[in-house]
Amino acid sequence: MTIHLDEMNLLSPPFRNDLTRITNSLTKRRIIWNWPKDKKRLQRQLYKHDVCTDKEFMIHLASYFNEIKPLLLQSYQEEYPGEHPTPSQLINWMRDCMIVSKLLGRKKELKTWIEIIDMCEWLQEDKLMKI
């Protein structure tokens, strides 16, 4: 797959400078691998607890985010060692991951990053994304 120069400019410098190492990250692979199972588990929880309001949904979503947060932070810190991200920085980093997945034609990864970003944006809007 050919990566266009204008698409490369969408990436932050750490991604642009070390694309091969970043795309082969074992931590990112774990995030992508675990997402479908974790998402199904969250859906079962929502069904089991008969979640029917947005507020209940967001509480469960925040709880789920807290479970996967360590893996997301570990992966973030592979590119930004020693940095503790804000919610916005973490979301922007995930957008970089999404762009790389798109550029490399990795559709499953792309879909996963989009879903995780959506979840985090919802949490951030409700001020429930605690890092």
Side-chain angles (χ1 to χ4, degrees):
M1 161 153 238
T2 305
I3 298 176
H4 301 287
L5 186 58
D6 56 334
E7 292 174 322
M8 284 293 288
N9 290 331
L10 296 173
L11 299 173
S12 63
F15 274 81
R16 211 176 13 238
N17 297 336
D18 203 359
L19 197 55
T20 303
R21 180 185 61 80
I22 290 168
T23 58
N24 292 323
S25 162
L26 293 177
T27 312
K28 282 188 189 67
R29 287 184 190 180
R30 280 183 56 203
I31 292 167
I32 300 305
W33 178 262
N34 289 339
W35 178 255
K37 295 180 287 186
D38 290 343
K39 188 169 83 171
K40 284 181 184 175
R41 185 172 46 85
L42 175 63
Q43 289 169 337
R44 283 191 305 270
Q45 249 185 5
L46 295 173
Y47 180 76
K48 178 183 173 186
H49 294 284
D50 195 25
V51 173
C52 56
T53 67
D54 288 345
K55 184 176 179 180
E56 289 175 309
F57 173 74
M58 293 306 291
I59 290 169
H60 283 276
L61 203 58
S63 174
Y64 170 70
F65 173 76
N66 286 328
E67 290 177 30
I68 66 167
K69 180 172 50 175
L71 194 57
L72 290 170
L73 291 176
Q74 177 185 343
S75 188
Y76 175 90
Q77 290 175 343
E78 289 174 1
E79 279 87 51
Y80 304 100
E83 231 181 88
H84 191 74
T86 64
S88 294
Q89 288 171 321
L90 188 64
I91 290 171
N92 288 336
W93 166 80
M94 287 186 276
R95 285 191 184 112
D96 282 343
C97 295
M98 178 190 71
I99 292 167
V100 169
S101 298
K102 179 180 181 238
L103 294 175
L104 296 176
R106 297 177 177 174
K107 292 179 182 179
K108 179 183 176 186
E109 285 182 24
L110 175 62
K111 181 180 180 237
T112 299
W113 287 117
I114 290 170
E115 290 176 353
I116 294 172
I117 290 166
D118 286 346
M119 173 190 69
C120 290
E121 287 176 340
W122 296 336
L123 291 171
Q124 188 179 27
E125 284 175 20
D126 282 7
K127 299 188 183 355
L128 294 172
M129 189 174 167
K130 307 293 183 210
I131 297 183

Short mmCIF file of all heavy atoms in Angstrom, two decimals, residues 69-100:
data_model
loop_
_atom_site.label_atom_id
_atom_site.label_comp_id
_atom_site.label_asym_id
_atom_site.label_seq_id
_atom_site.Cartn_x
_atom_site.Cartn_y
_atom_site.Cartn_z
N LYS A 69 -8.15 1.24 30.40
CA LYS A 69 -7.28 2.40 30.48
C LYS A 69 -5.80 2.04 30.65
O LYS A 69 -4.95 2.62 29.96
CB LYS A 69 -7.75 3.33 31.60
CG LYS A 69 -6.90 4.57 31.76
CD LYS A 69 -7.49 5.56 32.74
CE LYS A 69 -7.89 4.96 34.05
NZ LYS A 69 -8.35 5.93 35.04
N PRO A 70 -5.43 1.09 31.51
CA PRO A 70 -4.01 0.78 31.66
C PRO A 70 -3.34 0.35 30.35
O PRO A 70 -2.21 0.76 30.06
CB PRO A 70 -3.98 -0.36 32.68
CG PRO A 70 -5.23 -0.18 33.48
CD PRO A 70 -6.24 0.33 32.49
N LEU A 71 -4.03 -0.43 29.55
CA LEU A 71 -3.48 -0.87 28.28
C LEU A 71 -3.36 0.30 27.30
O LEU A 71 -2.36 0.43 26.59
CB LEU A 71 -4.35 -1.99 27.69
CG LEU A 71 -3.77 -2.80 26.56
CD1 LEU A 71 -2.45 -3.45 26.96
CD2 LEU A 71 -4.75 -3.88 26.13
N LEU A 72 -4.36 1.17 27.27
CA LEU A 72 -4.29 2.35 26.40
C LEU A 72 -3.14 3.26 26.82
O LEU A 72 -2.38 3.75 25.97
CB LEU A 72 -5.61 3.13 26.45
CG LEU A 72 -6.82 2.47 25.80
CD1 LEU A 72 -8.09 3.24 26.14
CD2 LEU A 72 -6.64 2.35 24.30
N LEU A 73 -2.99 3.48 28.13
CA LEU A 73 -1.90 4.34 28.61
C LEU A 73 -0.53 3.73 28.34
O LEU A 73 0.41 4.44 27.97
CB LEU A 73 -2.08 4.62 30.10
CG LEU A 73 -3.26 5.50 30.48
CD1 LEU A 73 -3.40 5.61 31.99
CD2 LEU A 73 -3.14 6.87 29.83
N GLN A 74 -0.42 2.42 28.50
CA GLN A 74 0.85 1.74 28.21
C GLN A 74 1.22 1.93 26.74
O GLN A 74 2.36 2.25 26.41
CB GLN A 74 0.74 0.26 28.53
CG GLN A 74 1.99 -0.53 28.19
CD GLN A 74 1.81 -2.03 28.43
OE1 GLN A 74 0.89 -2.45 29.11
NE2 GLN A 74 2.70 -2.81 27.86
N SER A 75 0.25 1.77 25.85
CA SER A 75 0.51 1.94 24.43
C SER A 75 0.84 3.40 24.10
O SER A 75 1.75 3.67 23.32
CB SER A 75 -0.71 1.46 23.63
OG SER A 75 -0.42 1.44 22.26
N TYR A 76 0.12 4.33 24.72
CA TYR A 76 0.41 5.75 24.52
C TYR A 76 1.85 6.06 24.91
O TYR A 76 2.58 6.76 24.20
CB TYR A 76 -0.56 6.60 25.35
CG TYR A 76 -0.28 8.08 25.30
CD1 TYR A 76 -0.88 8.88 24.33
CD2 TYR A 76 0.58 8.69 26.22
CE1 TYR A 76 -0.63 10.25 24.28
CE2 TYR A 76 0.84 10.04 26.17
CZ TYR A 76 0.23 10.82 25.21
OH TYR A 76 0.50 12.17 25.15
N GLN A 77 2.27 5.51 26.04
CA GLN A 77 3.60 5.82 26.55
C GLN A 77 4.73 5.15 25.76
O GLN A 77 5.89 5.50 25.93
CB GLN A 77 3.67 5.50 28.04
CG GLN A 77 2.83 6.50 28.82
CD GLN A 77 2.72 6.21 30.29
OE1 GLN A 77 3.00 5.11 30.74
NE2 GLN A 77 2.28 7.20 31.05
N GLU A 78 4.38 4.22 24.88
CA GLU A 78 5.39 3.69 23.97
C GLU A 78 5.86 4.77 23.00
O GLU A 78 7.01 4.77 22.58
CB GLU A 78 4.84 2.49 23.20
CG GLU A 78 4.66 1.26 24.05
CD GLU A 78 3.99 0.12 23.31
OE1 GLU A 78 3.66 0.25 22.10
OE2 GLU A 78 3.79 -0.94 23.93
N GLU A 79 4.98 5.68 22.63
CA GLU A 79 5.35 6.78 21.74
C GLU A 79 5.79 8.03 22.51
O GLU A 79 6.56 8.83 22.00
CB GLU A 79 4.18 7.17 20.81
CG GLU A 79 4.04 6.26 19.63
CD GLU A 79 3.18 5.06 19.96
OE1 GLU A 79 2.09 5.24 20.49
OE2 GLU A 79 3.63 3.92 19.70
N TYR A 80 5.24 8.20 23.69
CA TYR A 80 5.52 9.38 24.50
C TYR A 80 5.98 8.94 25.90
O TYR A 80 5.24 9.09 26.87
CB TYR A 80 4.28 10.27 24.61
CG TYR A 80 3.72 10.69 23.27
CD1 TYR A 80 2.62 10.04 22.71
CD2 TYR A 80 4.27 11.75 22.57
CE1 TYR A 80 2.10 10.42 21.48
CE2 TYR A 80 3.76 12.15 21.33
CZ TYR A 80 2.68 11.47 20.81
OH TYR A 80 2.17 11.85 19.59
N PRO A 81 7.18 8.40 25.99
CA PRO A 81 7.67 7.87 27.28
C PRO A 81 7.64 8.92 28.39
O PRO A 81 8.02 10.06 28.20
CB PRO A 81 9.11 7.45 26.98
CG PRO A 81 9.20 7.36 25.50
CD PRO A 81 8.18 8.31 24.94
N GLY A 82 7.15 8.48 29.54
CA GLY A 82 7.14 9.34 30.71
C GLY A 82 6.05 10.40 30.72
O GLY A 82 5.91 11.12 31.70
N GLU A 83 5.29 10.51 29.66
CA GLU A 83 4.24 11.53 29.60
C GLU A 83 2.93 10.95 30.12
O GLU A 83 2.58 9.82 29.83
CB GLU A 83 4.03 11.96 28.13
CG GLU A 83 4.07 13.45 27.96
CD GLU A 83 3.84 13.83 26.52
OE1 GLU A 83 2.66 14.00 26.14
OE2 GLU A 83 4.83 13.96 25.80
N HIS A 84 2.22 11.75 30.89
CA HIS A 84 0.90 11.37 31.39
C HIS A 84 -0.12 12.19 30.60
O HIS A 84 -0.21 13.40 30.79
CB HIS A 84 0.79 11.64 32.88
CG HIS A 84 -0.42 11.03 33.49
ND1 HIS A 84 -0.55 9.69 33.72
CD2 HIS A 84 -1.58 11.61 33.90
CE1 HIS A 84 -1.74 9.45 34.25
NE2 HIS A 84 -2.38 10.61 34.37
N PRO A 85 -0.88 11.55 29.69
CA PRO A 85 -1.76 12.31 28.80
C PRO A 85 -3.01 12.86 29.47
O PRO A 85 -3.51 12.29 30.43
CB PRO A 85 -2.15 11.28 27.74
CG PRO A 85 -2.16 9.98 28.49
CD PRO A 85 -1.00 10.10 29.46
N THR A 86 -3.49 13.94 28.91
CA THR A 86 -4.82 14.43 29.26
C THR A 86 -5.81 13.61 28.43
O THR A 86 -5.40 12.94 27.47
CB THR A 86 -4.97 15.92 28.89
OG1 THR A 86 -4.87 16.05 27.47
CG2 THR A 86 -3.92 16.79 29.58
N PRO A 87 -7.09 13.66 28.75
CA PRO A 87 -8.06 12.96 27.91
C PRO A 87 -7.97 13.37 26.43
O PRO A 87 -8.02 12.53 25.54
CB PRO A 87 -9.41 13.33 28.52
CG PRO A 87 -9.10 13.52 29.97
CD PRO A 87 -7.74 14.19 29.97
N SER A 88 -7.80 14.66 26.17
CA SER A 88 -7.69 15.13 24.79
C SER A 88 -6.45 14.58 24.09
O SER A 88 -6.50 14.20 22.92
CB SER A 88 -7.65 16.66 24.74
OG SER A 88 -8.87 17.19 25.18
N GLN A 89 -5.34 14.54 24.80
CA GLN A 89 -4.11 13.99 24.22
C GLN A 89 -4.27 12.51 23.91
O GLN A 89 -3.80 12.04 22.87
CB GLN A 89 -2.92 14.20 25.16
CG GLN A 89 -2.46 15.62 25.26
CD GLN A 89 -1.42 15.82 26.35
OE1 GLN A 89 -1.53 15.24 27.43
NE2 GLN A 89 -0.43 16.64 26.07
N LEU A 90 -4.93 11.78 24.79
CA LEU A 90 -5.14 10.35 24.56
C LEU A 90 -6.03 10.14 23.34
O LEU A 90 -5.75 9.29 22.50
CB LEU A 90 -5.75 9.68 25.80
CG LEU A 90 -5.84 8.16 25.74
CD1 LEU A 90 -4.44 7.54 25.68
CD2 LEU A 90 -6.59 7.63 26.95
N ILE A 91 -7.07 10.92 23.21
CA ILE A 91 -7.96 10.82 22.05
C ILE A 91 -7.20 11.18 20.76
O ILE A 91 -7.34 10.50 19.74
CB ILE A 91 -9.22 11.68 22.23
CG1 ILE A 91 -10.10 11.07 23.33
CG2 ILE A 91 -9.99 11.81 20.91
CD1 ILE A 91 -11.27 11.93 23.76
N ASN A 92 -6.39 12.23 20.82
CA ASN A 92 -5.61 12.60 19.63
C ASN A 92 -4.62 11.50 19.25
O ASN A 92 -4.41 11.23 18.07
CB ASN A 92 -4.88 13.93 19.85
CG ASN A 92 -5.82 15.10 19.84
OD1 ASN A 92 -6.89 15.05 19.25
ND2 ASN A 92 -5.43 16.17 20.50
N TRP A 93 -4.03 10.86 20.24
CA TRP A 93 -3.12 9.74 19.97
C TRP A 93 -3.89 8.59 19.30
O TRP A 93 -3.41 7.99 18.35
CB TRP A 93 -2.48 9.27 21.28
CG TRP A 93 -1.82 7.95 21.17
CD1 TRP A 93 -0.59 7.69 20.63
CD2 TRP A 93 -2.35 6.69 21.57
NE1 TRP A 93 -0.33 6.35 20.68
CE2 TRP A 93 -1.40 5.71 21.25
CE3 TRP A 93 -3.54 6.30 22.16
CZ2 TRP A 93 -1.60 4.37 21.51
CZ3 TRP A 93 -3.74 4.96 22.44
CH2 TRP A 93 -2.77 4.01 22.11
N MET A 94 -5.10 8.32 19.77
CA MET A 94 -5.91 7.27 19.16
C MET A 94 -6.27 7.64 17.72
O MET A 94 -6.36 6.77 16.86
CB MET A 94 -7.16 6.99 19.99
CG MET A 94 -6.84 6.24 21.27
SD MET A 94 -8.31 5.76 22.19
CE MET A 94 -8.64 7.23 23.11
N ARG A 95 -6.46 8.91 17.47
CA ARG A 95 -6.73 9.36 16.09
C ARG A 95 -5.52 9.07 15.20
O ARG A 95 -5.67 8.70 14.04
CB ARG A 95 -7.09 10.84 16.06
CG ARG A 95 -8.48 11.11 16.55
CD ARG A 95 -8.92 12.54 16.27
NE ARG A 95 -10.22 12.77 16.85
CZ ARG A 95 -10.47 13.57 17.88
NH1 ARG A 95 -9.49 14.25 18.45
NH2 ARG A 95 -11.69 13.71 18.35
N ASP A 96 -4.31 9.27 15.75
CA ASP A 96 -3.10 8.90 15.00
C ASP A 96 -3.11 7.40 14.68
O ASP A 96 -2.79 7.00 13.57
CB ASP A 96 -1.83 9.23 15.79
CG ASP A 96 -1.46 10.71 15.76
OD1 ASP A 96 -1.98 11.44 14.88
OD2 ASP A 96 -0.65 11.13 16.60
N CYS A 97 -3.48 6.61 15.67
CA CYS A 97 -3.55 5.15 15.46
C CYS A 97 -4.57 4.83 14.37
O CYS A 97 -4.34 3.97 13.51
CB CYS A 97 -3.95 4.44 16.75
SG CYS A 97 -2.74 4.56 18.07
N MET A 98 -5.68 5.53 14.39
CA MET A 98 -6.73 5.34 13.39
C MET A 98 -6.23 5.70 12.00
O MET A 98 -6.45 4.97 11.03
CB MET A 98 -7.95 6.20 13.76
CG MET A 98 -9.09 6.12 12.78
SD MET A 98 -10.36 7.38 13.10
CE MET A 98 -9.51 8.85 12.59
N ILE A 99 -5.53 6.82 11.89
CA ILE A 99 -5.01 7.27 10.59
C ILE A 99 -4.02 6.25 10.04
O ILE A 99 -4.08 5.89 8.86
CB ILE A 99 -4.37 8.67 10.72
CG1 ILE A 99 -5.44 9.72 11.00
CG2 ILE A 99 -3.57 9.02 9.46
CD1 ILE A 99 -4.89 11.06 11.44
N VAL A 100 -3.13 5.76 10.89
CA VAL A 100 -2.15 4.77 10.45
C VAL A 100 -2.86 3.51 9.97
O VAL A 100 -2.51 2.94 8.93
CB VAL A 100 -1.14 4.44 11.58
CG1 VAL A 100 -0.31 3.22 11.23
CG2 VAL A 100 -0.25 5.63 11.85
#
